[in-house]
Amino acid sequence: MNNKVERFKKSLNENNLDSAIVFKPENRRYLSGFTGTSGYVVITEEKNFFITDFRYVNQASKQCEGFEILKHTNDRTLYDILNELGLKNLGFEDAFVTVSQYNDFNDKLMGISLKPLRDTLDKLRMIKDQDEIEEIKKAAQIADEAFEYICEVIKPGITEWEVALEIENFMKKKGATGTSFDSIVASGIRSSMPHGVASHKVIENGDFVTLDFGCIYNGYCSDMTRTVVVGKASEKQKEIYNVVLEAQETALEAIKPGITGYEADKVARGIIEAKGFGEYFGHGLGHGVGLEVHESPRLSPLGKDILKANMVVTDEPGIYLPDFGGVRIEDLIVVTENGCERLSKSPKHLIEL
């Protein structure tokens, strides 16, 4: 049996659910392996079903090992099929299903009680298996190669948009199917914007340039950030950079199984606060990465989850000074039995281009 499905069934049983329906794309792929855009995973105590329409029956038959493939049509709808299966307590993705969809399920399902799955799948997906880690490593490797390449491209006169386009084209040529998110290229005073998506601003000599990007490889994401200086760094730029680097590397040494996301965040935040820049670090230290670029666990002041081996998370402190610029340094890492392993291999010393 698919180990992911087996773990999910165990969770359903612990929550007194005899079945569940799953159709959030990432959760659907996690359980079934299906990479198409339309379909429903239905897990029962006895069997696993994948319900889709005419367009995807053949694809699902090839990808969804261990699932019985059922086709819904205008004459035999999804609701008809669910009613035929004899379900009683049906778990659903309450954080994903719309009010309209929920009302349709309530109106058209006969004698089936809908029960929220809450964070059941989020918790399962936090722990990666070895195959998942290998896919993420490959995505991280492509991002590292893209950073090495783009350092040869960035120069005064090029726009942020052109830099982002070069990064994204490079990653796709290396096998990525897409970007994990809209690439952030923020230069000069725009680098004080933590999520400064690439604009048509021209990069100038003396600018900080923050590069935050990642790619998708076989469905799994990477995420990394490096900040460089075009030309020679000023003393103030060096000061800010070195504080962020110290916070980032100290947190890296602290991240291991048994600590909470809150405790990991506190390590980096304490260093930045001690240097007088606490008010300029306004986001969490990191987040989980997998089929989604932002998933559980959270490494932040609100991060309650305990870190465990085989979680993949980011370590990305930053300082952002309005009207001056900002620095963020981010590694993608996997928690190991005794600590953590960097998946982002790009250099972290201050690079002056």
Side-chain angles (χ1 to χ4, degrees):
M1 182 187 290
N2 180 327
N3 184 53
K4 297 181 178 71
V5 172
E6 189 174 357
R7 290 168 59 214
F8 184 46
K9 283 191 175 186
K10 183 179 179 182
S11 294
L12 293 181
N13 185 59
E14 290 170 352
N15 288 284
N16 298 316
L17 295 172
D18 68 311
S19 58
I21 184 168
V22 173
F23 53 99
K24 180 179 178 179
E26 295 82 7
N27 290 338
R28 182 176 60 205
R29 179 168 183 161
Y30 178 77
L31 292 171
S32 71
F34 180 71
T35 62
T37 59
S38 181
Y40 304 85
V41 168
V42 177
I43 303 294
T44 72
E45 293 174 328
E46 306 296 331
K47 299 186 71 174
N48 311 319
F49 300 95
F50 193 89
I51 306 171
T52 190
D53 60 52
F54 170 82
R55 297 170 298 168
Y56 295 107
V57 169
N58 188 46
Q59 180 180 346
S61 299
K62 289 179 169 60
Q63 292 184 327
C64 303
E65 185 177 348
F67 285 77
E68 180 178 337
I69 311 304
L70 303 176
K71 182 174 71 172
H72 67 79
T73 65
N74 291 335
D75 296 325
R76 187 177 181 234
T77 68
L78 167 68
Y79 308 106
D80 293 330
I81 294 171
L82 293 174
N83 285 327
E84 293 167 7
L85 294 179
L87 311 177
K88 295 178 181 178
N89 296 309
L90 180 66
F92 74 100
E93 299 156 298
D94 48 301
F96 181 74
V97 171
T98 66
V99 172
S100 176
Q101 289 169 327
Y102 179 78
N103 288 337
D104 281 344
F105 278 104
N106 254 338
D107 291 343
K108 297 174 182 178
L109 295 182
M110 309 301 293
I112 301 174
S113 297
L114 293 173
K115 305 291 184 181
L117 286 172
R118 305 195 189 281
D119 60 356
T120 299
L121 279 162
D122 291 340
K123 288 189 177 298
L124 290 180
R125 284 174 46 198
M126 282 196 293
I127 308 293
K128 273 59 178 180
D129 63 29
Q130 198 54 46
D131 288 341
E132 291 178 291
I133 291 171
E134 290 304 315
E135 303 290 17
I136 296 170
K137 282 184 176 180
K138 179 60 179 178
Q141 178 188 338
I142 292 172
D144 278 331
E145 292 174 4
F147 177 69
E148 182 180 9
Y149 165 75
I150 206 62
C151 284
E152 300 296 324
V153 174
I154 296 173
K155 60 184 178 182
I158 194 171
T159 66
E160 295 171 352
W161 177 256
E162 289 170 319
V163 170
L165 188 61
E166 289 283 345
I167 291 172
E168 292 166 12
N169 284 341
F170 180 93
M171 292 192 296
K172 287 183 177 180
K173 287 178 181 178
K174 290 291 183 176
T177 56
T179 58
S180 303
F181 51 93
D182 290 339
S183 299
I184 293 170
V185 181
S187 63
I189 62 172
R190 291 192 74 252
S191 62
S192 65
M193 301 166 58
H195 279 187
V197 174
S199 73
H200 291 290
K201 178 192 173 298
V202 174
I203 293 172
E204 302 175 49
N205 193 55
D207 278 354
F208 266 142
V209 182
T210 296
L211 306 158
D212 186 349
F213 59 92
C215 71
I216 301 170
Y217 184 81
N218 283 347
Y220 285 85
C221 299
S222 61
D223 187 6
M224 66 169 285
T225 308
R226 293 293 185 268
T227 302
V228 300
V229 173
V230 178
K232 290 294 183 181
S234 68
E235 290 305 310
K236 188 172 183 179
Q237 286 176 322
K238 291 178 183 178
E239 177 191 9
I240 296 167
Y241 191 95
N242 288 332
V243 172
V244 174
L245 181 59
E246 180 184 352
Q248 200 272 345
E249 292 191 327
T250 305
L252 199 64
E253 294 172 0
I255 292 173
K256 60 183 179 181
I259 72 167
T260 64
Y262 164 79
E263 290 169 327
D265 177 274
K266 187 177 180 181
V267 170
R269 196 169 302 279
I271 290 171
I272 292 174
E273 288 174 346
K275 302 290 186 178
F277 295 104
E279 65 181 296
Y280 303 110
F281 177 26
H283 58 74
L285 177 66
H287 53 85
V289 176
L291 286 166
E292 294 176 275
V293 75
H294 293 101
E295 55 183 50
S296 297
R298 305 294 177 182
L299 282 64
S300 77
L302 300 177
K304 297 179 181 179
D305 286 314
I306 296 172
L307 300 186
K308 298 178 181 179
N310 292 348
M311 288 182 173
V312 176
V313 299
T314 64
D315 171 10
E316 51 178 307
I319 293 174
Y320 312 92
L321 302 182
D323 300 319
F324 178 79
V327 173
R328 182 165 64 257
I329 304 169
E330 174 186 19
D331 282 333
L332 185 61
I333 61 177
V334 58
V335 181
T336 63
E337 292 294 338
N338 300 308
C340 66
E341 174 191 351
R342 284 179 59 202
L343 304 184
S344 302
K345 309 292 188 181
S346 296
K348 289 187 286 188
H349 65 273
L350 178 56
I351 296 175
E352 297 172 310
L353 300 175

